[in-house]
Amino acid sequence: MADGSYLKGFVVTFKKLFEDRVTGDYRGGKAKEGAPDEKRAKPERFHGRHVLNRYEDGMEKCIGCELCAGVCPAKCIYVRGADNDPAAPASPGERFGYVYEINYLRCIHCDLCVEACPTQAITESKLFEFSFTNRSDAIYTKDELLVGDNGKPQQLPWEDWRPGDDELTSGWMRATSPAGDHRYEGVVHWAGELGYGVRDPEPAQEESSDG
Ligand code: SF4
Ligand code: SF4
C-alpha cells in the first residue's frame, strides 16, 4: 500500500516548476549570473580538436612516420605514409602522410600523439564544441585536419568556432631535452602556444644560443 510519500515527491517537482532556473542556455539566451551563456577562455593546456600543421611555405609538416598512431592509447589514428614525388613533394621529408585519420568517437585527448610527433605536425586546438549526426563525420580525414592556406584550422559545419578561437592551440609538454641540446637532457617543461608555420624557439634554445 502506498503511503502517499510519492505524492510529496510530485508536490516538490510541481513547486520547482515555478522557481528560477539555475542553468542558462549555453549559447545566447538570458542566463542567470554565472550561468554558461557564453564560452569562457580555455586553460593554456586545454586539449581540443587536432590540426595537421604546415610550414609557412605551405609544405605539410607530417612525414608519415606513424609514431602518433603507434603511441595512441585509444588506437584512433590511422596513418599511411608514402614517398614524396621529388618533382612535387608534399612535405620536406622523404615521405609524407598519404592517409591521415582520427576517429573522434575514440580519442581521449591525451595529447600523446602531439608529444610523439617529431615534426610538430600534429597539435591540438582548443575546440571541443563539435558533435556529429553520423559516424563518418566523427572520423576526421587529412583534408579536414590540415590547416588552411592561412595557417588556421578549417571550420567544419558541425563545429562551433567563435571569433579568435582559431588563433589558439593547446600548450603541451616535452618530456625530453627541449632544444636537442645535451645540457637540457631530462629537462621537462611546458611549451607555449605552438601556433602555425615556424614557431618561436623554446626557452632552452634561446639560452643555448645566448650562452
Ligand atoms: S589525443 Fe590521445 S587518444 Fe587522441 S589521437 Fe592523440 S594519442 Fe590518440
Ligand atoms: S603527425 Fe607526426 S608522428 Fe604522426 S605520422 Fe605525421 S609526422 Fe609522424
Side-chain angles (χ1 to χ4, degrees), residues 91-122:
S91 79
E94 197 173 301
R95 290 168 66 78
F96 72 107
Y98 174 62
V99 177
Y100 199 102
E101 292 181 351
I102 297 180
N103 183 346
Y104 281 106
L105 295 176
R106 301 181 63 119
C107 175
I108 56 173
H109 294 278
C110 63
D111 241 12
L112 286 177
C113 50
V114 177
E115 176 71 17
C117 181
T119 61
Q120 286 125 30
I122 187 163

Side-chain angles (χ1 to χ4, degrees), residues 41-111:
K42 312 283 194 316
E44 183 183 4
R45 290 165 5 200
F46 187 92
H47 300 165
R49 194 268 265 181
H50 298 78
V51 289
L52 283 174
N53 296 302
R54 298 176 188 268
Y55 292 104
E56 287 177 344
D57 62 2
M59 293 278 245
E60 297 170 14
K61 290 187 176 181
C62 179
I63 53 173
C65 68
E66 303 182 22
L67 284 175
C68 52
V71 79
C72 176
K75 302 293 178 212
C76 61
I77 301 180
Y78 173 54
V79 189
R80 271 180 57 201
D83 289 342
N84 267 313
D85 176 358
S91 79
E94 197 173 301
R95 290 168 66 78
F96 72 107
Y98 174 62
V99 177
Y100 199 102
E101 292 181 351
I102 297 180
N103 183 346
Y104 281 106
L105 295 176
R106 301 181 63 119
C107 175
I108 56 173
H109 294 278
C110 63
D111 241 12

Side-chain angles (χ1 to χ4, degrees), residues 2-32:
D3 61 4
S5 58
Y6 71 94
L7 285 175
K8 291 180 185 172
F10 281 121
V11 170
V12 170
T13 304
F14 188 73
K15 284 181 179 172
K16 292 288 176 189
L17 290 176
F18 301 98
E19 292 183 4
D20 286 343
R21 289 167 59 194
V22 295
T23 58
D25 294 333
Y26 184 71
R27 40 192 317 183
K30 196 173 178 183
K32 288 170 69 76

